[in-house]
Amino acid sequence: MERKKVTVKGVDKDAWEMLKQLREIEQRFVGAILSDCIRDYWEDGFADCE
């Protein structure tokens, strides 16, 4: 899987704190957690649009 460095702007403080907690609990990189979130979001709302 190709990885790419990106900057994410506009993340609210509460969401950022939740992400930091997830990272500590799961011992995963932020990018891996965000990738999972994006895939789940896509499957829940946009997968049928293809």
Side-chain angles (χ1 to χ4, degrees):
M1 179 184 310
E2 182 182 341
R3 297 185 186 266
K4 185 176 185 178
K5 185 175 181 174
V6 297
T7 299
V8 179
K9 296 181 181 181
V11 179
D12 67 65
K13 284 184 178 182
D14 292 337
W16 187 249
E17 288 301 319
M18 288 185 262
L19 183 58
K20 287 177 15 182
Q21 289 177 15
L22 281 171
R23 187 183 185 293
E24 290 175 13
I25 293 166
E26 295 189 0
Q27 295 295 304
R28 297 172 68 206
F29 289 112
V30 170
I33 296 169
L34 289 176
S35 293
D36 288 349
C37 293
I38 293 166
R39 284 188 182 90
D40 287 345
Y41 186 85
W42 179 265
E43 290 172 6
D44 286 347
F46 298 99
D48 294 335
C49 296
E50 293 184 87

